[in-house]
């Protein structure tokens, strides 16, 4: 895998993975009410918002060759537009030509919590197809609470190290209490360090920020490519501003109609599907650390390895040992891109021999941990946004214990740990402001929804569902492995998306590529 693809994978896939491992993509056991987000059409015309919609961006050098940066102002609370402001980091690279400029193309890599500015400067602004970059100014804004946009902070580096090592497959009451305490401490840290911004980092607010940015860029319509969680952000924008939808690509789609318990369980099944694809590839190789007998046997070997490192963690060459939680995170991180499978085979071979540095490196990449022991705010923002967007998955630990069998049915390999991982939002200090609901975006221009049949983090049926909900949705399918489809090597997918972005013509609904 070349370095550019690695940049793209980490920016998109790992951010999306936080949805479940940070435990905040939750709803309640009972079906949540399907209430739509309020339409802000009158709010956007309010005199007190005029100063935001008419602001002029002051572009400056970013320190990254070819890119410019600016600061976008938005109200901290849209219900109080004359109150405090929040400053959002924006970056762009101008259209390269030739050809008539089509406006701005906003990109978001997912998460929630992924840095869109980092994604633009590290991949999209240099790696998107040349014909697209020729005709569009490529633009990104870090959503509120993320990266450069007044980031949510929760734990110190050492505290985060401890948090990522807490046992997420508790065997007794003491371990259940320890896991609950870790989630409570995480939430309390967020409230202490970021209490002002914490109630105002919802997807609805981020979508409203995007409309302010659209106006500041001088575009009458929004053209947008969102991956993973970025599809929920894009769909929310379409719901709020259907008349301002230009060309929207929603790649690796989420289903906004599901309760969080269902989202987490479906995603758990997605990781199982991806693991089985990895295992099928692995067992055909003589050096497969999971054996060469069958996919089922490989799954049993994987579970045994997790049990072994739960009982006795292995050394890594660092102060941190590799226990079950970090080992599971490392394996899941490699599920997002089949290009990482050789790295995973090697890391598993070494870990099964008692040396866990390879799996630890995968887990550290997932968590965006730097070599100096500091962390990006990916997981902090991920929790903050998810816990606002939908009610928590569980009311208490008893509800988790009740749900574990259904998670294990969805994934014999990962189910138990991922069931417990969804406990986080139970203890969140800020009440949720959103509810699961269908998004139709009546009156919007055609919206292209892209799904991958063996996507680990956003199962394919979510794309089918979102395309069916949207009144103007068109489904494009990639038959393959990995998370998201655009720019992953399918000429069929890339041509369809490029044609839509450049000419406004979506592919035929139901088109399939491999």
């Amino acid at each position: 895998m070349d370095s550019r693809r690695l940049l793209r994978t980490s920016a998109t896939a790992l951010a999306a993975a936080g949805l479940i491992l940070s435990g905040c993509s939750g709803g309640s056991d009972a079906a949540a009410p399907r209430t739509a987000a309020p339409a802000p059409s009158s709010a956007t015309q309010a005199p007190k918002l005029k100063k935001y919609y008419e602001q002029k961006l002051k572009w400056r050098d970013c320190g990254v060759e070819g890119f410019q940066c600016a600061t976008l102002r938005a109200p901290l609370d849209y219900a109080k537009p004359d109150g405090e402001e929040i400053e959002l980091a924006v970056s762009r690279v101008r259209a390269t030509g030739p050809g008539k400029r089509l406006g701005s193309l906003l990109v978001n890599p997912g998460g929630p919590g992924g840095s869109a500015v980092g994604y633009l400067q590290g991949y999209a602004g240099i790696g998107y197809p040349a014909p697209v970059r020729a005709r569009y100014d490529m633009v990104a804004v870090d959503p509120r609470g993320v990266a450069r946009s007044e980031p949510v902070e929760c734990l110190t580096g050492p505290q985060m190290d401890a948090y990522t090592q807490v046992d997420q497959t508790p065997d007794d009451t003491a371990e259940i209490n320890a896991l609950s305490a870790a989630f409570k401490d995480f939430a309390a840290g967020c409230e202490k360090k970021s209490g002002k911004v914490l109630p105002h980092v919802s997807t609805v607010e981020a979508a409203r920020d995007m409309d302010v940015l659209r106006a500041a860029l001088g575009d009458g319509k929004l053209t947008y490519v969102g991956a993973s969680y970025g599809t929920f952000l894009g769909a929310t924008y379409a719901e709020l501003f259907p008349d301002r939808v230009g060309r929207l690509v929603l790649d690796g789609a989420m289903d906004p109609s599901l309760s969080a318990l269902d989202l987490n369980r479906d995603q758990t099944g997605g990781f199982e599907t991806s693991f089985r694809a990895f295992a099928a590839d692995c067992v055909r190789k003589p050096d497969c650390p999971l054996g060469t007998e069958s996919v089922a046997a490989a799954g049993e070997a994987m579970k045994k390895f997790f049990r072994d490192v739960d009982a006795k963690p292995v050394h890594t060459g660092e102060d941190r040992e590799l226990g079950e939680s970090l080992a599971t995170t490392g394996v899941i991180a490699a599920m997002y891109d089949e290009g990482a499978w050789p790295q995973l085979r090697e890391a598993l071979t070494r870990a099964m021999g008692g040396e866990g540095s390879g799996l630890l490196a995968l887990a550290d990449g997932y968590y965006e941990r730097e070599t100096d022991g500091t962390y990006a705010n990916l997981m902090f923002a991920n929790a903050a946004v998810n816990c606002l967007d939908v009610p928590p998955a569980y009311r208490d630990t008893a509800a988790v214990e009740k749900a574990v069998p259904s998670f294990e049915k969805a994934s014999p390999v990962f189910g138990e740990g991922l069931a417990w991982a969804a406990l986080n939002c139970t203890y969140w200090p800020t009440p949720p402001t959103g509810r699961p609901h269908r998004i139709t975006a009546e009156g919007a221009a055609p919206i292209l929804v892209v799904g991958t049949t063996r996507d680990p983090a956003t199962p394919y049926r979510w794309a089918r569902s979102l395309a069916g909900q949207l009144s103007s949705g068109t489904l494009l399918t990639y038959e393959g492995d990995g998370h998201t489809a655009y720019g992953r090597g399918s000429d069929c997918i890339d041509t369809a998306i490029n044609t839509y972005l450049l000419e406004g013509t979506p592919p035929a609904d139901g088109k399939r590529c491999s």
Side-chain angles (χ1 to χ4, degrees), residues 40-41 44 53 207-208 211 236-245 444:
S41 55
T44 60
Y53 272 84
R208 292 185 176 184
D211 196 54
T236 299
Y237 180 90
E239 178 180 38
L240 296 171
F241 308 102
D243 57 327
R244 297 170 197 173
V245 168

Side-chain angles (χ1 to χ4, degrees), residues 68-404:
Q68 297 176 305
C69 289
T71 299
L72 181 77
R73 294 178 296 106
L76 176 66
D77 184 349
Y78 275 91
K80 300 175 181 178
D82 55 351
E84 291 189 65
E85 293 185 348
I86 190 168
E87 294 187 342
L88 309 175
V90 181
S91 184
R92 76 175 178 185
V93 58
R94 301 306 296 267
T96 59
K100 181 181 178 182
R101 179 181 172 277
L102 295 175
S104 305
L105 172 57
L106 192 64
V107 296
N108 182 281
S115 171
V117 170
Y119 175 69
L120 176 75
Q121 296 176 355
Y123 171 71
I126 55 178
Y128 263 37
V132 173
R133 291 184 287 113
R135 305 288 298 281
Y136 285 100
D137 291 347
M138 301 288 294
V139 182
V141 55
D142 278 347
R144 50 177 62 209
V146 173
R148 301 162 178 85
S149 294
E150 302 198 20
V152 171
E153 298 294 343
C154 302
L155 302 179
T156 65
Q159 288 172 334
M160 191 64 180
D161 279 347
Y163 176 77
T164 61
Q165 296 178 74
V166 174
D167 188 352
Q168 291 198 357
T169 57
D171 300 316
D172 53 36
T173 300
E175 291 188 350
I176 290 174
N177 291 340
L179 181 57
S180 296
F183 287 146
K184 290 175 182 177
D185 289 345
F186 184 99
C190 298
E191 183 177 32
K192 180 179 180 180
K193 294 188 175 187
S194 302
K196 184 183 79 170
V197 73
L198 217 56
H200 300 293
V201 294
S202 70
T203 297
V204 166
E205 289 162 306
R208 292 185 176 184
D209 294 339
M210 289 203 305
D211 196 54
V212 172
L213 176 58
R214 173 202 57 76
L217 292 168
D219 293 329
K221 305 275 186 178
L222 179 75
T223 299
Y224 172 84
V225 177
S228 195
Y229 161 79
T231 67
F232 179 46
L233 180 58
T236 299
Y237 180 90
E239 178 180 38
L240 296 171
F241 308 102
D243 57 327
R244 297 170 197 173
V245 168
R247 301 166 188 179
L248 265 58
V249 178
L250 309 181
D251 183 14
M254 289 183 61
D255 182 350
S257 72
L258 295 177
S259 73
L261 187 64
D262 288 335
L263 281 170
N264 278 284
R265 197 159 36 208
D266 280 2
Q267 195 178 55
T268 298
F271 284 119
E272 182 71 18
T273 296
S274 185
F275 174 78
R276 291 180 66 83
F278 162 73
D281 177 75
C282 187
V283 299
R284 292 196 292 266
K285 296 174 170 58
D287 62 343
C288 177
L290 301 177
T292 57
E293 181 182 342
S294 66
V295 171
E300 291 301 318
M302 189 78 264
K303 290 194 291 183
K304 180 180 184 302
F305 168 71
F306 288 150
R307 290 194 299 269
D308 289 345
V309 293
D310 185 28
K312 185 179 180 181
V314 298
H315 73 85
T316 63
E318 299 186 17
D319 292 339
R320 295 174 297 154
E321 292 184 312
L322 183 81
E324 183 180 15
S325 291
L326 285 171
T328 302
T329 302
V331 172
I332 283 178
M335 294 296 99
Y336 286 83
D337 192 326
E338 65 272 26
W341 291 357
Q343 181 183 358
L344 177 59
R345 288 198 305 273
E346 179 183 355
L348 282 172
T349 298
R350 290 166 58 190
M352 289 176 175
E355 200 286 300
S357 62
L359 278 180
L360 182 64
L362 283 167
D364 283 351
Y366 173 94
Y367 286 123
E368 293 194 357
R369 184 186 191 271
E370 302 295 337
T371 54
D372 64 0
T374 61
Y375 287 76
N377 94 309
L378 169 65
M379 290 299 167
F380 309 145
N382 181 276
V385 176
N386 280 329
C387 292
L388 271 188
D389 279 350
V390 282
Y394 309 114
R395 298 181 180 91
D396 50 36
T397 58
V400 187
E401 293 179 284
K402 180 180 178 181
V404 164

